[in-house]
């Protein structure tokens, strides 16, 4: 009788460990990615779609009112991105307080609402001049700017692409309110 070779337990062989290494690595990477995603989550999606949908008509009404009032706003952001001069023209009440909203494209925590302070008490050259100071804007490719009256009657807004300079012209979105009942031109067919 020949002596039987001694069989090693499974954990002393290399192949079970090689085969388990892949799934173990995937589990560790998944847990790490979960914490990275949780820490750097963006605010792109709203929690209450129904509530936001109900307010679309109200918001469009404000844009339509800005068109009717011929609102034009020019915003000049300081080079340090911590102050702005705002020139407002159109049919508005200069005594009504105005706000400047600086909205970050992905991080709601970076959004700022700033009260505009008039530089003078009356309209000069058809426009009113305001100024505002705010905490310095963090670097990003673009911001959304909005100027509105505090009573919620009108607003103008646009996208500010930072690389294109610090002067932004905000105009009402009048293309939304053009007459869509016009007959299309005959193409000759």
């Amino acid at each position: 009788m020949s002596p039987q070779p001694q069989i090693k337990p499974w954990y002393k062989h290399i192949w079970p460990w090689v085969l388990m290494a892949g799934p173990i690595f995937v589990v560790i990477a998944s847990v790490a990615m979960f914490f990275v995603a949780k820490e750097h989550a963006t605010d792109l999606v709203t929690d209450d779609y129904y509530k936001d949908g109900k307010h679309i008509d109200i918001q469009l009404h404000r844009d339509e009112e800005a068109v009717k009032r011929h609102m034009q706003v020019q915003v000049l952001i300081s080079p340090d991105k911590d102050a702005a001069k705002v020139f407002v023209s159109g049919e508005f009440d200069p005594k009504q307080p105005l706000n400047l909203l600086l909205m970050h494209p992905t991080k709601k925590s970076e959004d700022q609402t700033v009260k505009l302070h008039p530089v003078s008490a009356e309209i000069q050259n058809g426009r009113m001049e305001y100024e505002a100071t705010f905490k310095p804007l963090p670097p990003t490719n673009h911001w959304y700017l909005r100027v509105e009256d505090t009573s919620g009657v009108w607003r103008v807004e646009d996208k500010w692409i930072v690389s294109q300079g610090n002067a932004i012209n905000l105009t009402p979105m009048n293309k939304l309110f053009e007459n869509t009942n016009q007959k299309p031109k005959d193409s000759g067919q």
Side-chain angles (χ1 to χ4, degrees):
M1 243 188 195
S2 63
Q4 284 189 344
Q6 190 168 1
I7 299 175
K8 296 184 206 174
W10 69 269
Y11 55 85
K12 289 192 176 183
H13 291 276
I14 193 166
W15 289 111
W17 295 108
V18 169
L19 294 173
M20 285 188 292
I24 290 171
F25 176 75
V26 168
V27 168
I28 292 170
S30 298
V31 170
M33 288 307 297
F34 170 77
F35 286 108
V36 168
K38 186 176 178 184
E39 180 68 27
H40 301 288
T42 60
D43 298 323
L44 295 176
V45 179
T46 183
D47 290 336
D48 193 349
Y49 299 103
Y50 178 74
K51 182 179 175 185
D52 288 348
K54 286 182 4 181
H55 293 292
I56 288 175
D57 287 339
I58 295 171
Q59 301 299 321
L60 290 177
H61 176 71
R62 293 173 66 195
D63 294 327
E64 188 174 9
E65 189 63 31
V67 170
K68 289 178 187 174
R69 293 171 179 252
H70 308 286
M71 298 304 300
Q72 299 288 324
V73 177
Q74 183 179 32
V75 181
L76 305 173
I77 305 288
S78 71
D80 296 330
K81 295 180 181 62
D82 63 353
K85 280 199 177 276
V86 180
F87 300 95
V88 181
S89 63
E91 300 167 16
F92 71 103
D93 182 6
K95 295 178 183 135
Q96 177 71 36
L98 301 180
N99 286 333
L100 170 66
L101 284 78
L102 303 147
M103 298 170 284
H104 193 278
T106 58
K107 296 180 181 176
K108 193 171 188 168
S109 62
E110 299 291 343
D111 292 356
Q112 297 184 50
T113 300
V114 183
K115 183 178 179 184
L116 294 176
H117 302 285
V119 173
S120 64
E122 69 251 6
I123 295 177
Q124 298 174 352
N125 298 327
R127 63 186 189 174
M128 185 81 173
E129 182 179 350
Y130 296 89
E131 57 188 12
T133 56
F134 41 86
K135 68 179 185 176
L137 300 174
T140 188
N141 291 332
H142 68 276
W143 287 85
Y144 294 100
L145 300 182
R146 178 186 302 158
V147 174
E148 62 186 10
D149 64 334
T150 56
S151 62
V153 175
W154 60 268
R155 72 173 181 184
V156 290
E157 61 187 353
D158 207 346
K159 182 183 199 178
W160 168 38
I161 300 173
V162 178
S163 63
Q164 293 180 352
N166 290 2
I168 307 97
N169 291 316
L170 308 178
T171 57
M173 297 190 296
N174 57 357
K175 292 187 182 201
L176 291 175
F177 308 111
E178 290 177 354
N179 188 359
T180 58
N181 296 331
Q182 295 175 356
K183 292 184 180 178
K185 293 182 179 179
D186 188 19
S187 62
Q189 293 180 345

